[in-house]
Amino acid sequence: MPDPNGAVRRVRSAGRMLPPQGATATWSSSAFKQHQAARPRTEPRLRCRRNKRSAPNEEEARRRVRPRKLARIGQVHNGRDGPQHRQARCRMAWPARLRLATRPVARQNRSGFSSEVYRAVTVLYLSQVVDPCQPPCHDQETVAMSVRARTVHVPYTIEQDEDGVWCASAQLRPGVGGGRRR
Amino acid sequence: MFGVHLPSSGQVLGAVGDGETREAALDDLRDALQALIAEVGIPDELTLTLNVA
């Protein structure tokens, strides 16, 4: 007479749910929990299985994990560094010309702010740095001087003294200062 | 060795540079002017920008 649980037992014995030695053939939830508790704890699952397979050890695998793709300027997805949510990932799968049409106008998330609010704040912050209409303060001027070279034309005079040394002098304000150094 | 003239009144003066050759003197003067501009900023006479049609 065929065992009615034979098929189930064969499937379970072929996979990872193999019962321990001495256990009964029929599984119960408590037996499975005991088996899981008795198993040695495995290492945490890595983000990329391919890297885990090819890397010699875990540290190398973690080093090989590619960093997350950064968000573009002015595009912040709920304060994260990329489209992590399922809805955002689905939206990014569309072409750019269709993405705006399929995008929700305002979607309330758990924190109570929509993604539109974060984007507006980011754009305002960036535009404040490069706004040419505002008088530059010290920080903005320092940033502007550091990113681009500024050419200043200054008239100068050069002469050679009796010792053969060349001496050059320039004045930032004509008629004031300059001349030979003492 | 370049020199920068900074009077006590705060007025921007000038800079001098010397060297064995003409190019060396000019390079020394350029360094002195960069140090002077970094200290006191570019004077207004050199930063006027005009939009002429």
Side-chain angles (χ1 to χ4, degrees):
Chain A
M1 180 176 177
D3 188 5
N5 297 327
V8 178
R9 194 179 298 131
R10 277 195 301 273
V11 171
R12 284 176 176 170
S13 61
R16 46 187 280 189
M17 297 176 65
L18 183 68
Q21 296 293 330
T24 57
T26 56
W27 274 90
S28 62
S29 61
S30 60
F32 181 71
K33 288 178 181 177
Q34 291 175 1
H35 170 62
Q36 289 291 336
R39 285 179 55 196
R41 178 166 294 181
T42 57
E43 296 179 353
R45 181 177 174 180
L46 296 179
R47 196 182 303 167
C48 182
R49 284 183 173 272
R50 182 182 59 186
N51 292 333
K52 182 181 180 182
R53 220 179 287 132
S54 60
N57 51 30
E58 184 180 356
E59 292 299 325
E60 181 68 15
R62 289 187 185 279
R63 194 182 62 82
R64 288 187 187 181
V65 169
R66 299 172 63 184
R68 292 180 180 176
K69 189 176 182 181
L70 296 178
R72 287 178 292 184
I73 294 178
Q75 191 174 23
V76 177
H77 298 270
N78 298 327
R80 296 168 186 246
D81 56 353
Q84 300 295 321
H85 298 282
R86 182 184 60 84
Q87 214 170 4
R89 283 201 301 269
C90 296
R91 207 164 50 236
M92 295 299 287
W94 286 82
R97 59 187 177 85
L98 299 177
R99 201 176 299 154
L100 292 176
T102 59
R103 184 175 196 170
V105 176
R107 182 173 60 86
Q108 186 175 3
N109 53 19
R110 291 180 181 178
S111 62
F113 292 97
S114 68
S115 59
E116 309 293 330
V117 174
Y118 287 103
R119 183 173 299 107
V121 170
T122 307
V123 170
L124 281 179
Y125 175 75
L126 292 176
S127 63
Q128 186 183 2
V129 175
V130 297
D131 190 7
C133 300
Q134 298 293 331
C137 61
H138 178 70
D139 294 338
Q140 295 179 6
E141 190 175 6
T142 303
V143 171
M145 292 286 288
S146 62
V147 296
R148 58 185 171 85
R150 191 170 185 178
T151 303
V152 178
H153 296 276
V154 180
Y156 69 94
T157 59
I158 187 169
E159 59 183 1
Q160 192 175 21
D161 58 7
E162 60 273 8
D163 298 331
V165 178
W166 287 90
C167 297
S169 63
Q171 300 169 344
L172 291 183
R173 290 183 177 177
V176 182
R180 297 290 302 272
R181 183 183 45 176
R182 282 177 284 183
Chain B
M1 179 74 73
F2 60 81
V4 176
H5 292 256
L6 284 175
S8 58
S9 61
Q11 287 286 330
V12 177
L13 292 179
V16 296
D18 52 10
E20 296 297 328
T21 63
R22 183 186 179 93
E23 289 75 18
L26 287 180
D27 290 340
D28 197 20
L29 176 64
R30 192 172 292 111
D31 294 337
L33 284 175
Q34 288 177 358
L36 180 63
I37 290 176
E39 182 68 25
V40 300
I42 301 175
D44 297 336
E45 292 87 346
L46 298 174
T47 57
L48 184 61
T49 302
L50 298 177
N51 294 324
V52 180

mmCIF file of all heavy atoms in Angstrom, chain A residues 8 48 58 84 95 110 112 154 166:
data_model
loop_
_atom_site.group_PDB
_atom_site.id
_atom_site.type_symbol
_atom_site.label_atom_id
_atom_site.label_comp_id
_atom_site.label_asym_id
_atom_site.label_seq_id
_atom_site.Cartn_x
_atom_site.Cartn_y
_atom_site.Cartn_z
ATOM 1 N N VAL A 8 5.465 13.662 -0.394
ATOM 2 C CA VAL A 8 5.906 14.826 0.376
ATOM 3 C C VAL A 8 7.238 14.539 1.041
ATOM 4 O O VAL A 8 8.141 15.370 1.072
ATOM 5 C CB VAL A 8 4.834 15.188 1.421
ATOM 6 C CG1 VAL A 8 5.300 16.354 2.266
ATOM 7 C CG2 VAL A 8 3.525 15.498 0.726
ATOM 8 N N CYS A 48 25.214 40.655 -3.371
ATOM 9 C CA CYS A 48 25.359 40.145 -4.725
ATOM 10 C C CYS A 48 25.908 38.726 -4.647
ATOM 11 O O CYS A 48 26.992 38.490 -4.117
ATOM 12 C CB CYS A 48 26.298 41.045 -5.525
ATOM 13 S SG CYS A 48 26.482 40.531 -7.230
ATOM 14 N N GLU A 58 34.882 36.719 2.442
ATOM 15 C CA GLU A 58 33.772 37.654 2.624
ATOM 16 C C GLU A 58 34.218 39.098 2.517
ATOM 17 O O GLU A 58 33.521 39.951 1.974
ATOM 18 C CB GLU A 58 33.138 37.417 3.995
ATOM 19 C CG GLU A 58 31.923 38.263 4.249
ATOM 20 C CD GLU A 58 31.332 37.984 5.614
ATOM 21 O OE1 GLU A 58 31.850 37.084 6.294
ATOM 22 O OE2 GLU A 58 30.364 38.668 5.965
ATOM 23 N N GLN A 84 14.794 53.483 -4.045
ATOM 24 C CA GLN A 84 14.778 52.237 -3.313
ATOM 25 C C GLN A 84 13.388 51.602 -3.302
ATOM 26 O O GLN A 84 13.266 50.396 -3.207
ATOM 27 C CB GLN A 84 15.226 52.469 -1.875
ATOM 28 C CG GLN A 84 16.622 53.032 -1.779
ATOM 29 C CD GLN A 84 17.647 52.064 -2.301
ATOM 30 O OE1 GLN A 84 17.529 50.867 -2.066
ATOM 31 N NE2 GLN A 84 18.630 52.556 -3.014
ATOM 32 N N PRO A 95 10.861 55.355 -19.951
ATOM 33 C CA PRO A 95 11.685 56.406 -20.561
ATOM 34 C C PRO A 95 11.400 57.753 -19.908
ATOM 35 O O PRO A 95 10.352 57.953 -19.276
ATOM 36 C CB PRO A 95 11.260 56.399 -22.024
ATOM 37 C CG PRO A 95 10.618 55.095 -22.232
ATOM 38 C CD PRO A 95 10.035 54.677 -20.930
ATOM 39 N N ARG A 110 5.840 57.776 4.655
ATOM 40 C CA ARG A 110 5.665 57.535 6.089
ATOM 41 C C ARG A 110 6.029 58.752 6.919
ATOM 42 O O ARG A 110 5.521 58.941 8.001
ATOM 43 C CB ARG A 110 6.527 56.346 6.506
ATOM 44 C CG ARG A 110 6.041 55.037 5.937
ATOM 45 C CD ARG A 110 6.916 53.893 6.361
ATOM 46 N NE ARG A 110 6.449 52.646 5.790
ATOM 47 C CZ ARG A 110 7.063 51.492 5.963
ATOM 48 N NH1 ARG A 110 8.163 51.435 6.661
ATOM 49 N NH2 ARG A 110 6.594 50.391 5.422
ATOM 50 N N GLY A 112 5.499 61.808 6.157
ATOM 51 C CA GLY A 112 4.553 62.876 6.000
ATOM 52 C C GLY A 112 4.913 63.890 4.952
ATOM 53 O O GLY A 112 4.127 64.770 4.647
ATOM 54 N N VAL A 154 47.506 93.696 -14.401
ATOM 55 C CA VAL A 154 48.134 94.700 -13.545
ATOM 56 C C VAL A 154 49.325 95.283 -14.303
ATOM 57 O O VAL A 154 50.196 94.535 -14.767
ATOM 58 C CB VAL A 154 48.600 94.067 -12.213
ATOM 59 C CG1 VAL A 154 49.259 95.108 -11.325
ATOM 60 C CG2 VAL A 154 47.431 93.428 -11.497
ATOM 61 N N TRP A 166 67.409 91.948 -11.771
ATOM 62 C CA TRP A 166 66.168 92.509 -12.320
ATOM 63 C C TRP A 166 65.177 92.745 -11.195
ATOM 64 O O TRP A 166 64.975 91.875 -10.342
ATOM 65 C CB TRP A 166 65.557 91.562 -13.346
ATOM 66 C CG TRP A 166 66.319 91.535 -14.637
ATOM 67 C CD1 TRP A 166 67.346 90.716 -14.956
ATOM 68 C CD2 TRP A 166 66.094 92.378 -15.759
ATOM 69 N NE1 TRP A 166 67.795 90.982 -16.214
ATOM 70 C CE2 TRP A 166 67.033 92.004 -16.742
ATOM 71 C CE3 TRP A 166 65.214 93.418 -16.033
ATOM 72 C CZ2 TRP A 166 67.104 92.628 -17.979
ATOM 73 C CZ3 TRP A 166 65.277 94.034 -17.276
ATOM 74 C CH2 TRP A 166 66.216 93.645 -18.227
#
